[in-house]
Amino acid sequence: MPLKIFINNKGIFKESDIPGSSGLWQTLYSADINGDGYPDLLAGNWGHNSKLYAGKEGPLKMYVKDFAGNRSIEDIVTYNINGVECPFLGKDQLEIALPILKSKHLTYDEVAGKSVQYLFGDLWNNYLELKAETLSSSVFINDGKGNFVRKDLPEELQLAPIFSFDSMPGIHSGSYVANGNFYGVLPYEGRYDAMNPAIFKYDKPAGQFNNVTELSDIEGEFRDAKWINYVGGTKLLILTRNNDGLIFLKPDP
């Protein structure tokens, strides 16, 4: 789905979509990133370090339908290479859910480099089409008039899906912490485990983020980050991980 903005006008909310923003969004965090008094958005997406992204052109799409006619709904994910819309999964994996495809094309040579429309033939109709126009974790800058301009976050923050953002406190104000990773995928994809929790800062004169620094060499599927008060007026950062223990980090003074 795209990002949706709801403007409160005297208790009545008006909905609008941010153009070109459909994606595999995992989290949103609102903050005045560029210091102009308007709330901007940090948005965690699937990132660039995946088979869904690398070398692809055009939007990622999903087609939903009972393709086999057996009262079971299937979803077919596709991407675009050189103008050809190709299925994400290979022939053998598609045939697990759709054995009917075996009778249409017996060998890999018949479908190598071919479009999903060719692979499915006359089954390819009357589907629900969904799309993701960007997989980039992004910042959406608010122009103060209800419009948002999207920019990619640095490549160091595109190594895995991002599930959480938070602001840095005190003298580190103006910086943000991001964390993510995701392991629950098919072996065909390989788990997303390349991103450690990281701090990044917005450079107002340059109009972009820079100075991405990893917090620590720690592993896990990070899901959230929250600050708590600690003795002596300091703060601790708690990182939560899926199916694993909490991690407590104390920032440098």
Side-chain angles (χ1 to χ4, degrees):
M1 63 182 292
L3 265 65
K4 293 181 177 291
I5 304 299
F6 296 85
I7 303 298
N8 185 352
N9 182 12
K10 299 179 181 179
I12 299 175
F13 286 85
K14 181 181 178 181
E15 174 189 344
S16 63
D17 293 348
I18 298 178
S21 68
S22 59
L24 305 182
W25 303 109
Q26 305 300 313
T27 187
L28 281 177
Y29 183 78
S30 179
D32 183 6
I33 303 294
N34 58 1
D36 64 356
Y38 299 110
D40 308 302
L41 296 171
L42 290 170
N45 208 341
W46 211 244
H48 298 171
N49 189 23
S50 78
K51 291 182 179 181
L52 296 172
Y53 178 86
K56 312 303 187 292
E57 306 162 353
L60 179 72
K61 290 186 178 181
M62 175 183 286
Y63 296 91
V64 182
K65 176 190 170 182
D66 178 6
F67 285 97
N70 58 4
R71 300 183 180 180
S72 175
I73 301 298
E74 292 83 31
D75 53 82
I76 309 300
V77 176
T78 70
Y79 50 71
N80 196 295
I81 298 180
N82 298 324
V84 178
E85 193 172 1
C86 302
F88 174 65
L89 295 178
K91 180 177 182 293
D92 53 344
Q93 292 165 310
L94 286 173
E95 289 172 350
I96 294 174
L98 293 164
I100 191 173
L101 295 179
K102 293 182 180 180
S103 61
K104 287 182 170 292
H105 306 288
L106 298 179
T107 68
Y108 281 91
D109 288 343
E110 294 179 57
V111 298
K114 296 294 195 305
S115 70
V116 67
Q117 291 85 356
Y118 173 83
L119 178 62
F120 279 79
D122 56 6
L123 297 177
W124 199 254
N125 56 55
N126 301 324
Y127 45 71
L128 171 65
E129 179 181 331
L130 306 171
K131 66 179 178 179
E133 295 162 285
T134 179
L135 297 184
S136 302
S137 289
S138 307
V139 58
F140 290 83
I141 299 298
N142 188 344
D143 68 357
K145 301 176 182 178
N147 304 308
F148 289 80
V149 177
R150 190 192 71 80
K151 294 183 179 180
D152 288 4
L153 292 179
E155 282 301 315
E156 297 93 327
L157 301 177
Q158 306 290 353
L159 295 175
I162 291 181
F163 286 89
S164 174
F165 295 102
D166 206 346
S167 301
M168 294 289 290
I171 61 172
H172 302 286
S173 178
S175 295
Y176 303 88
V177 58
N179 60 76
N181 291 336
F182 184 71
Y183 297 171
V185 295
L186 295 171
Y188 175 73
E189 292 183 64
R191 71 182 194 175
Y192 301 98
D193 60 1
M195 192 179 129
N196 290 326
I199 298 173
F200 57 107
K201 186 176 179 64
Y202 190 77
D203 185 340
K204 293 181 182 179
Q208 63 185 16
F209 285 101
N210 56 23
N211 300 325
V212 180
T213 304
E214 289 188 355
L215 281 176
S216 181
D217 188 16
I218 47 181
E219 297 182 351
E221 293 182 275
F222 297 95
R223 290 295 174 266
D224 207 352
K226 288 291 184 290
W227 293 95
I228 62 170
N229 294 323
Y230 188 57
V231 295
T234 60
K235 290 182 176 292
L236 289 180
L237 180 65
I238 301 180
L239 299 177
T240 65
R241 294 181 293 176
N242 186 38
N243 293 325
D244 209 335
L246 299 176
I247 293 178
F248 297 80
L249 297 175
K250 184 178 179 182
D252 293 331

